[in-house]
Amino acid sequence: MKIAEVAEQLNLKVCSGENGLSNDVLGGYASDLLSDVMGNAQAGAIWVTLQTHKNIMAVASLKDLAAVVLVKGAEPDADTAAHSNDEGIPILTTELDAFTIVGQLYNLLK
Amino acid sequence: MHIHTVLSPCGDLEMSPSNIVAKAKEVGLSIIGIADHNSTKHCALVRKIADKEGIFVLMGVEVTTKEEAHCLTFFPDEASLNSFQRFIDDRLPSIPLDVDLFGYQVVVNEDDEIVEEVPYLLISGLNASIEEIEKMVHALGGLFIPAHINKNKFSVISQLGFIPFDLVYDALEISPHTTPAKFCSLIPGLKAQTFIQCSDSHIPDTIGSAYTIFNIAQPTFDEVKLALHRTDGRYVAIP
């Protein structure tokens, strides 16, 4: 499934990185510890977090993730969004909390 | 440079300003840094008591950033310290303290009598990013030192994966569980930085259990800053 379809089906707002909306989603990961994400997320995953710091894009790029989903209405910091555009890794946001959006993502991707 | 008082919820009730100074004197420390979680309210009293014993006090606070990275900060005088306290007050979430879960957060006087109980949990993350906090600290002439960066919780590295490349800091703190050489063998890119090692004391018995040597002309804030920046022949060393 493409990021664009995930965004449409789960009503996620695209904040940045539109040029990566055709990325394929191969799985998912949820964590707010970037050291943990660096160690354990798989390439192609859609990553759910509440962190908005620019380091999330460095980690997403390093791990070749498909997209980042921010929860509870969080928006990326300006430098984070710029990095997302450069890398072609979209940042999406939802008003839902992590538990709820992860449940929806799981059902959609399983 | 990293001592918690009884004001920190995790600080032992024995960590009153007078007890801390007495213990510091007993173990032979000539400079101590007071860094409670998200509060500066004991610094002035510790300095007043320590002055009489010839111990210099760095007044500061261990802030929790929005990303939940702990960072040590120190300020040159009470005016800048109080300005930073107001910055914290505006950004600390109002989560009521559950004493049974977290412990007491009390301010005491010179006679160890409780004069104030802080009602909001002091270990919460401030609503400010690590960069916003760093800029505020430096604008006030303070020192900014990411805390226990080798630890796998509440450190800038655990929370953000690595130290943001453009983050400005005066030194990096490592916990007593490692050494600069060991730590830098894992992250060689940090080899050129100034490291300090501190006890992170929450109980009197650990005060002085880890320390950093400052090679300076006299114990003042400015000299400490020179040493951290290895300027004018000043430097720090971890024994």
Side-chain angles (χ1 to χ4, degrees):
Chain A
M1 188 177 283
K2 306 283 185 195
I3 290 295
E5 290 171 66
V6 175
E8 194 188 329
Q9 297 223 22
L10 299 185
N11 195 26
L12 306 174
K13 181 184 138 197
V14 180
C15 302
S16 59
E18 280 88 350
N19 49 343
L21 287 174
S22 58
N23 290 351
D24 284 310
V25 185
L26 306 178
Y29 200 71
S31 177
D32 300 319
L33 289 179
L34 275 59
S35 50
D36 171 62
V37 180
M38 282 170 75
N40 298 295
Q42 300 295 316
I46 186 165
W47 168 28
V48 178
T49 183
L50 51 68
Q51 296 271 17
T52 58
H53 191 275
K54 65 175 180 290
N55 275 22
I56 63 174
M57 287 319 303
V59 171
S61 165
L62 175 79
K63 301 298 286 192
D64 208 10
L65 303 184
V68 180
V69 178
L70 304 180
V71 297
K72 297 194 299 176
E75 297 273 343
D77 301 344
D79 44 6
T80 311
H83 196 168
S84 158
N85 292 330
D86 292 347
E87 295 284 339
I89 300 176
I91 297 178
L92 315 166
T93 188
T94 174
E95 293 296 324
L96 301 174
D97 64 19
F99 178 80
T100 311
I101 194 66
V102 165
Q104 294 184 2
L105 276 167
Y106 185 83
N107 280 328
L108 186 65
L109 299 172
K110 75 180 175 190
Chain B
M1 281 179 75
H2 189 163
I3 297 175
H4 290 269
T5 79
V6 62
L7 173 55
S8 293
C10 41
D12 193 85
L13 277 176
E14 292 297 309
M15 291 297 265
S16 69
S18 352
N19 282 351
I20 288 169
V21 173
K23 185 69 185 181
K25 190 179 181 192
E26 182 191 319
V27 299
L29 296 175
S30 45
I31 301 175
I32 56 174
I34 298 300
D36 279 310
H37 290 295
N38 290 337
S39 180
T40 64
K41 287 189 173 180
H42 261 155
C43 291
L45 179 60
V46 178
R47 177 175 270 194
K48 184 181 160 202
I49 296 169
D51 268 352
K52 298 175 198 160
E53 305 294 343
I55 294 172
F56 178 68
V57 173
L58 283 164
M59 301 187 296
V61 48
E62 182 178 23
V63 285
T64 308
T65 72
K66 184 171 86 173
E67 303 85 6
E68 299 212 341
H70 288 184
C71 297
L72 295 173
T73 63
F74 296 103
F75 295 89
D77 50 42
E78 282 191 47
S80 50
L81 185 75
N82 293 339
S83 294
F84 194 66
Q85 180 65 53
R86 287 192 289 277
F87 175 89
I88 292 172
D89 290 340
D90 288 342
R91 289 162 182 82
L92 183 71
S94 306
I95 302 170
L97 172 70
D98 183 330
V99 170
D100 293 332
L101 267 180
F102 292 102
Y104 291 97
Q105 297 180 163
V106 295
V107 180
V108 303
N109 63 18
E110 206 163 339
D111 301 318
D112 292 355
E113 295 160 347
I114 293 172
V115 294
E116 184 184 343
E117 289 190 48
V118 177
Y120 297 118
L121 182 62
L122 286 174
I123 54 175
S124 311
L126 300 181
N127 185 21
S129 70
I130 190 167
E131 282 88 0
E132 285 172 64
I133 292 174
E134 173 274 306
K135 285 185 174 65
M136 185 66 194
V137 171
H138 283 138
L140 290 168
L143 300 172
F144 182 80
I145 304 172
H148 41 64
I149 60 164
N150 56 301
K151 288 177 78 170
N152 59 11
K153 55 183 184 181
F154 300 126
S155 80
V156 60
I157 293 178
S158 73
Q159 303 308 111
L160 289 177
F162 56 91
I163 300 176
F165 297 120
D166 50 2
L167 185 69
V168 181
Y169 48 84
D170 298 277
L172 298 168
E173 187 211 32
I174 52 170
S175 76
H177 309 93
T178 188
T179 64
K182 249 189 233 169
F183 180 71
C184 289
S185 71
L186 301 173
I187 309 180
L190 295 177
K191 237 177 354 200
Q193 304 303 321
T194 297
F195 287 93
I196 61 169
Q197 191 165 43
C198 312
S199 63
D200 198 353
S201 289
H202 291 74
I203 56 172
D205 278 353
T206 57
I207 292 175
S209 59
Y211 58 95
T212 300
I213 296 164
F214 281 78
N215 290 279
I216 50 182
Q218 64 261 342
T220 63
F221 180 90
D222 291 339
E223 285 279 332
V224 165
K225 187 173 176 180
L226 287 176
L228 294 176
H229 290 270
R230 290 173 261 178
T231 311
D232 294 348
R234 278 69 163 172
Y235 61 97
V236 301
I238 295 173

